Amino acid sequence: MLSTTLSLDKQRWGFVCFKVAVWLLLMSVISTGTTGVAVARPDAHPQRLAVAALTKLCTFTPKEYETGTVAERIKPYSQPQLYRQLKNQPSLMVETFKPAQVQQWKEAGGATAVTVRVTGEDHPQDTADSWARKIVCEQTRSGMEHTYGSVYLVVAAKKDQRWMLSGLKLLSSTPLD
């Protein structure tokens, strides 16, 4: 009987500990807005940063294209001077569409499916604070006839322990099918 009582007390104690742990986690989420679980930040590694930035960039909408606000998508990933350059010269980051193509894309819902991959091509030697690669962004836009492969030269630099894009240039954009 004594062993049964101790066993039940251990079970209750374990359940109480579990409830307290859940309560502490919930309080942490409520007070900080996060779960406290470690999540890799894109700026912690240059390739992760570059892929996240191009995924965001290459899913721009017809409205962003028409209003010239595509550069806003890449701003959080870019050093200020790069953002200013891209904002003033959008042709460095996006291909040019005919108005009829944009209208067709818009009428079909304006969606874009994207696949981003780093090429295996030769690249400059990485250093502790610089990184460069060619990256392909395959874009399938609703209402458009072709999937396009856009090839970018992406350069990242580390400043204050944080990787940011310091260079971005659209090298080519061609139909893949």
Side-chain angles (χ1 to χ4, degrees):
M1 175 111 178
L2 181 59
S3 66
T4 307
T5 303
L6 287 175
S7 177
L8 285 175
D9 286 343
K10 286 181 184 177
Q11 288 177 348
R12 284 188 198 127
W13 179 245
F15 184 68
V16 168
C17 288
F18 174 75
K19 287 175 81 172
V20 168
V22 169
W23 180 81
L24 288 172
L25 179 62
L26 286 173
M27 291 300 103
S28 170
V29 169
I30 290 169
S31 66
T32 65
T34 67
T35 61
V37 175
V39 176
R41 293 184 349 228
D43 63 0
H45 187 275
Q47 184 165 318
R48 212 175 4 250
L49 167 75
V51 169
L54 281 181
T55 300
K56 183 74 172 173
L57 172 66
C58 292
T59 55
F60 64 89
T61 66
K63 182 178 181 178
E64 290 168 321
Y65 180 82
E66 290 177 321
T67 60
T69 58
V70 175
E72 296 301 317
R73 289 182 155 266
I74 203 127
K75 185 177 183 179
Y77 305 94
S78 304
Q79 291 180 352
Q81 70 274 17
L82 176 63
Y83 167 71
R84 284 190 298 275
Q85 181 184 21
L86 296 174
K87 189 174 179 180
N88 293 329
Q89 295 177 288
S91 63
L92 291 175
M93 64 180 166
V94 294
E95 63 272 28
T96 302
F97 295 104
K98 296 175 184 169
Q101 289 175 304
V102 176
Q103 186 61 33
Q104 185 179 1
W105 179 23
K106 211 169 18 175
E107 289 172 359
T112 303
V114 171
T115 302
V116 176
R117 65 180 168 79
V118 178
T119 70
E121 292 185 36
D122 287 339
H123 54 81
Q125 180 69 36
D126 295 342
T127 67
D129 58 0
S130 68
W131 181 93
R133 298 289 189 281
K134 277 188 181 177
I135 298 181
V136 176
C137 184
E138 294 179 10
Q139 303 155 307
T140 304
R141 294 183 178 90
S142 57
M144 290 201 180
E145 185 178 342
H146 301 285
T147 295
Y148 283 84
S150 299
V151 179
Y152 290 89
L153 175 60
V154 181
V155 180
K158 192 173 192 179
K159 184 177 178 185
D160 300 325
Q161 301 302 311
R162 187 173 180 212
W163 288 97
M164 297 293 286
L165 297 185
S166 58
L168 178 74
K169 183 176 182 182
L170 175 65
L171 301 176
S172 65
S173 186
T174 56
L176 297 176
D177 46 13

